[in-house]
Amino acid sequence: MASSIENNNEKLTLKSSDGEEFLVEKHVALQSTLLQNMLDSDCSSADVIPLPKIDARTLALVLGYCKKHADASSSKQGELNSFDSEFLKDMDMGALFNLVLAANFMEIKGLLDIAAQKIADTIKDKPHQEVREIFHVENDYTPEEEAAVREENRWAFEGFP
Amino acid sequence: MAPCCAYDPLHLVPQISLPLQPNQPLDSRGAFVVHAGSAVYIWIGEKCASDMTDCARTAASHVIAYRVAEGPVVFVKQGEETPQFWLVFETEQDRLRTPEIANKGGSVEGRPVVSLPKVPNDIIFGGILSRLPVRSLLRLMSVSKYWKSMIASDPRLALDQMNRSVKSTCSFDRRRILIWDLDSVFLQDKKWVGNSFFTIRKITCPVEDFSCHLIVAACDGLVCLRKRKMDNVILFWNPLTGETKRVSEPPVPTTPPNFSYGLGYDSSSDDYKLVRICAELSDAVNKVFRTMVRVYSLRHNSWKQVEDFPGQLLRPFLRPLLRPGVLGVFFNGALYWTTYDTQSEDEPWKVTAFDLAKEEFSTLEVHSDFKPESSYIQIRLLDEKLCLYYPPPHRERWERERGRSSSNFWLINEHDNSETWSGYAIDIPSCKTFTPLCLLKNDEQVSLAYGEGKIGVYNLEDRTLVRDLHIPGIPKDFEEVTFTENLISPDTYNGLIR
């Protein structure tokens, strides 16, 4: 028993790409499958876990999400749902993208789901030209080919430029 | 990443690409997998053990397979590094020095800013695009050739998209009604606007003369068409993508008077199965007919015969031209039909189920209060619930017995392998029958077609017709099925789960 209490209070330090350090309680960190796997294996006795792909602003958001979800009991699903929608409200695309990348890297499924859903909702009614820019996709169609593909699904373009 | 512990060479350690230069070499005891954007390098130190080299090779192939890094894999031995190899670290360093470029991006509304971080393809397709409705995806085929090929033919994306459509909370976004009359096919286009009406859109048919055809089955986003006069061809059709597949069906001598088809998805074999129930001549000399059942597998493109249909199919009593044969209804892994047993006097009607995995018939156990006073029991899929209903029978008797066992509209919901039945009474004055279209407001209300081409909203709790709906362009007489849009291509279907 003593050891489990000790474990609960254990903290670890995460370091963002821009060098900021975050002290995190272990049960909060366990929301991340990546961190969980690192803690399970003995090789991660290091005091500071570097997260080279995640900047401090994003990491703070991620840990806020993890803390809320780690602390809430499973019976409070409704409360968590409203936290989730409030959490992403008014967030700009850049922040959402960083959040998706961080959640993917740290393997936090719930966060990846809600952030990806938010991005999907945002691009749902955007013209394809804009979506192309958002995802940095190079247009490899000739103008004729692009027109032909568009013609195949003409109904889907009604009301679009 | 570097395999760091010799006793456990499989263990990979992520490492930031620190400023590395020729005069500050990597640890010569290890092998390093370096993901550099244009290639994946494996750097092998002078003192590196061979098993570590092998692990590094495996790790590199994983990075390419699962993390969508771009190949090729380039082996670099210590001391033989090319200038290009060192350049990788230079650029990485430069990038790290100016992190604000990568992180500042984004736009609140409207114009995207070029500096949004790049998201790998597995997140784009698996995480984001699979959450979009088909209409958006069809437009996004115009983004690039690769996007088009993924949207058109990636089975994983099609499966995720469909599963999310089914679960989608805003059901009218993905789940619609497919409507047809004698000449045309329509698809419910817009969700309810202000809860007062929806719109329908005529869709292009894959056949020129739809009036000579019948819609005989539908499931998810797939529809099966057949000529009215059987010509032993079934056309599978995805109305949203327009793709079709022609399938030969086992011939019958003449177009039978009584037939039914049902289309459903069997998750155990990851296959769409079309079931045909049809009286066939089993003994040509004595002219003996049997109600034979044949199952077509879309995945294997083949037919097989299973046990005969137990009982007699109920004939649709309305609009025989539009729906001469009943449609089997797909619900929870099985197809359902209402049947009539002329031999049994107590309970002549039955709900017969065909389990698509076992390919066996069984009888659905009905709720003890389900005692239809009509043999015209109809069966439908409403949202994700099975619905059994029949027109209000002899009015006077029914009025008298109201409040007892007079429910003529039942919703069957599946929860943890057991069904819950909810019974309601639907009775619209001066109207003989009705057809439910969809459920509204947490199943408190149902929209239904009734009378002469009218569509209304009926409150199940108060048993009143709340209002009539105006739906521009809706045919006076029509048939309909619930439809869940998806990307499945009937022609190249080879399973959804790989």
Side-chain angles (χ1 to χ4, degrees):
Chain A
M1 283 308 284
S3 71
S4 78
I5 288 165
E6 201 179 276
N7 279 343
N8 282 341
N9 294 332
E10 207 179 303
K11 291 196 177 178
L12 46 123
T13 308
L14 306 178
K15 190 175 174 182
S16 70
S17 63
D18 37 1
E20 207 167 307
E21 292 191 356
F22 292 81
L23 197 62
V24 187
E25 287 166 83
K26 190 179 168 183
H27 78 284
V28 172
L30 287 179
Q31 294 284 312
S32 152
T33 310
L34 174 85
L35 294 178
Q36 193 184 339
N37 290 342
M38 285 172 102
L39 292 171
D40 285 348
S41 68
D42 293 333
C43 279
S44 66
S45 52
D47 291 325
V48 178
I49 300 172
L51 297 167
K53 289 181 168 178
I54 304 170
D55 62 46
R57 182 183 161 216
T58 307
L59 190 54
L61 286 170
V62 169
L63 295 176
Y65 172 91
C66 289
K67 183 157 174 51
K68 183 76 192 178
H69 280 252
D71 289 346
S73 65
S74 55
S75 59
K76 289 183 178 167
Q77 194 53 49
E79 193 185 303
L80 280 182
N81 288 347
S82 58
F83 167 82
D84 285 356
S85 54
E86 197 61 29
F87 181 66
L88 297 177
K89 208 176 147 196
D90 303 329
M91 203 177 272
D92 65 47
M93 274 295 237
L96 279 171
F97 271 47
N98 281 324
L99 213 51
V100 157
L101 290 168
N104 185 55
F105 179 72
M106 293 176 73
E107 298 176 56
I108 307 166
K109 193 179 173 300
L111 180 59
L112 180 62
D113 280 348
I114 60 165
Q117 183 65 53
K118 178 86 177 177
I119 295 175
D121 292 344
T122 314
I123 63 168
K124 190 175 78 140
D125 296 318
K126 285 201 188 299
H128 71 277
Q129 297 90 336
E130 201 172 316
V131 174
R132 192 186 279 149
E133 281 178 47
I134 289 173
F135 290 105
H136 307 278
V137 184
E138 199 190 328
N139 180 11
D140 53 359
Y141 286 120
T142 64
E144 296 76 30
E145 284 170 338
E146 193 174 331
V149 174
R150 188 186 170 118
E151 186 57 28
E152 283 172 25
N153 300 300
R154 195 171 28 159
W155 72 271
F157 282 91
E158 278 163 26
F160 281 87
Chain B
M1 288 190 286
C4 75
C5 329
Y7 61 86
D8 183 12
L10 276 173
H11 188 79
L12 294 167
V13 178
Q15 193 166 329
I16 319 174
S17 51
L18 298 162
L20 289 169
Q21 279 147 25
N23 56 351
Q24 290 174 294
L26 300 156
D27 188 335
S28 62
R29 293 165 301 173
F32 288 73
V33 181
V34 184
H35 175 211
S38 58
V40 175
Y41 291 96
I42 301 176
W43 183 90
I44 299 156
E46 269 174 359
K47 296 170 191 160
C48 175
S50 66
D51 52 351
M52 243 187 237
T53 315
D54 292 341
C55 285
R57 187 184 295 127
T58 313
S61 66
H62 282 185
V63 172
I64 290 171
Y66 300 120
R67 293 289 157 191
V68 210
E70 279 174 45
V73 176
V74 182
F75 282 87
V76 181
K77 282 189 185 158
Q78 186 172 8
E80 297 174 12
E81 299 91 349
T82 58
Q84 282 89 345
F85 176 72
W86 293 119
L87 208 61
V88 167
F89 297 99
E90 296 263 339
T91 45
E92 185 71 4
Q93 229 178 307
D94 293 344
R95 204 185 60 77
L96 283 176
R97 232 180 267 141
T98 50
E100 60 274 13
I101 291 178
N103 297 325
K104 227 171 126 187
S107 60
V108 181
E109 280 288 297
R111 296 274 93 198
V113 177
V114 194
S115 51
L116 281 173
K118 196 163 166 29
V119 178
N121 279 341
D122 60 342
I123 301 182
I124 294 181
F125 293 103
I128 299 169
L129 295 196
S130 64
R131 293 168 196 276
L132 291 175
V134 169
R135 184 183 154 102
S136 302
L137 289 171
L138 293 178
R139 269 191 288 114
L140 296 183
M141 282 185 167
S142 293
V143 164
S144 75
K145 289 176 181 169
Y146 180 66
W147 277 45
K148 179 171 194 267
S149 73
M150 285 296 285
I151 293 167
S153 53
D154 182 53
R156 192 74 237 173
L157 178 61
L159 178 74
D160 288 349
Q161 200 278 338
M162 186 172 70
N163 285 342
R164 287 182 172 138
S165 292
V166 173
K167 282 189 207 132
S168 177
T169 43
C170 41
S171 63
F172 283 106
D173 219 14
R174 309 286 173 92
R175 226 178 281 128
R176 303 125 173 267
I177 313 167
L178 189 78
I179 287 171
W180 65 97
D181 66 1
L182 287 171
D183 308 309
S184 317
V185 185
F186 305 85
L187 192 61
Q188 182 186 351
D189 201 17
K190 256 191 215 146
K191 50 186 150 183
W192 297 79
V193 180
N195 208 4
S196 63
F197 74 105
F198 61 89
T199 58
I200 57 167
R201 177 171 52 86
K202 191 169 165 177
I203 48 179
T204 316
C205 274
V207 291
E208 275 179 21
D209 47 346
F210 180 71
S211 55
C212 301
H213 287 77
L214 291 169
I215 288 180
V216 293
C219 173
D220 296 339
L222 289 178
V223 174
C224 293
L225 292 171
R226 199 203 72 188
K227 278 216 164 134
R228 283 179 182 274
K229 195 171 180 311
M230 268 175 131
D231 65 346
N232 307 324
V233 173
I234 297 270
L235 196 66
F236 279 75
W237 173 38
N238 182 332
L240 281 181
T241 63
E243 284 182 87
T244 56
K245 177 183 184 157
R246 281 172 71 85
V247 171
S248 305
E249 64 172 330
V252 285
T254 52
T255 301
N258 216 356
F259 63 86
S260 176
Y261 294 80
L263 180 65
Y265 176 71
D266 170 22
S267 55
S268 74
S269 61
D270 188 15
D271 198 358
Y272 279 92
K273 291 178 176 174
L274 177 69
V275 175
R276 183 182 84 177
I277 302 168
C278 180
E280 294 183 45
L281 206 56
S282 63
D283 178 348
V285 182
N286 298 311
K287 295 231 159 118
V288 179
F289 283 88
R290 270 168 47 199
T291 315
M292 293 194 198
V293 181
R294 295 179 191 269
V295 180
Y296 170 77
S297 150
L298 183 60
R299 192 167 179 176
H300 303 292
N301 190 26
S302 64
W303 290 86
K304 71 168 154 189
Q305 192 180 350
V306 297
E307 62 174 297
D308 283 2
F309 190 70
Q312 227 171 314
L313 282 174
L314 280 186
R315 281 213 221 180
F317 69 113
L318 280 169
R319 312 186 190 100
L321 268 176
L322 275 168
R323 195 194 272 243
V326 290
L327 270 65
V329 173
F330 177 66
F331 171 68
N332 191 31
L335 286 165
Y336 289 86
W337 288 270
T338 41
T339 57
Y340 196 76
D341 182 359
T342 43
Q343 310 293 314
S344 164
E345 283 186 8
D346 304 345
E347 290 182 342
W349 46 265
K350 269 195 196 114
V351 181
T352 299
F354 181 73
D355 187 310
L356 286 168
K358 294 184 199 147
E359 302 191 335
E360 281 171 7
F361 285 100
S362 62
T363 305
L364 180 75
E365 211 169 295
V366 298
H367 192 278
S368 55
D369 288 341
F370 182 71
K371 292 189 176 16
E373 298 165 58
S374 157
S375 58
Y376 296 125
I377 306 161
Q378 303 284 305
I379 192 159
R380 285 285 194 284
L381 188 71
L382 284 192
D383 290 350
E384 288 303 300
K385 296 174 189 73
L386 196 64
C387 171
L388 289 173
Y389 65 97
Y390 52 92
H394 312 293
R395 185 168 306 279
E396 279 174 27
R397 207 175 93 216
W398 207 55
E399 290 281 334
R400 215 167 46 235
E401 289 181 2
R402 245 188 197 196
R404 289 213 281 140
S405 55
S406 57
S407 301
N408 63 337
F409 180 85
W410 290 83
L411 292 174
I412 302 156
N413 209 350
E414 166 81 22
H415 266 303
D416 306 323
N417 287 326
S418 72
E419 289 111 10
T420 48
W421 289 59
S422 320
Y424 306 92
I426 294 186
D427 182 20
I428 302 163
S430 73
C431 170
K432 280 203 209 88
T433 186
F434 61 87
T435 306
L437 297 175
C438 50
L439 296 167
L440 300 165
K441 291 202 172 173
N442 296 323
D443 306 353
E444 275 173 32
Q445 300 184 341
V446 60
S447 86
L448 31 83
Y450 70 100
E452 293 281 301
K454 285 188 193 147
I455 292 184
V457 174
Y458 189 87
N459 189 317
L460 293 169
E461 304 295 335
D462 316 345
R463 297 175 178 177
T464 49
L465 196 62
V466 183
R467 69 173 90 80
D468 276 334
L469 297 174
H470 172 61
I471 293 155
I474 198 155
K476 216 168 178 194
D477 242 359
F478 63 86
E479 273 296 329
E480 93 309 315
V481 288
T482 298
F483 178 89
T484 309
E485 56 162 58
N486 66 23
L487 288 169
I488 290 166
S489 157
D491 196 31
T492 57
Y493 182 79
N494 188 21
L496 291 165
I497 309 156
R498 291 276 173 83

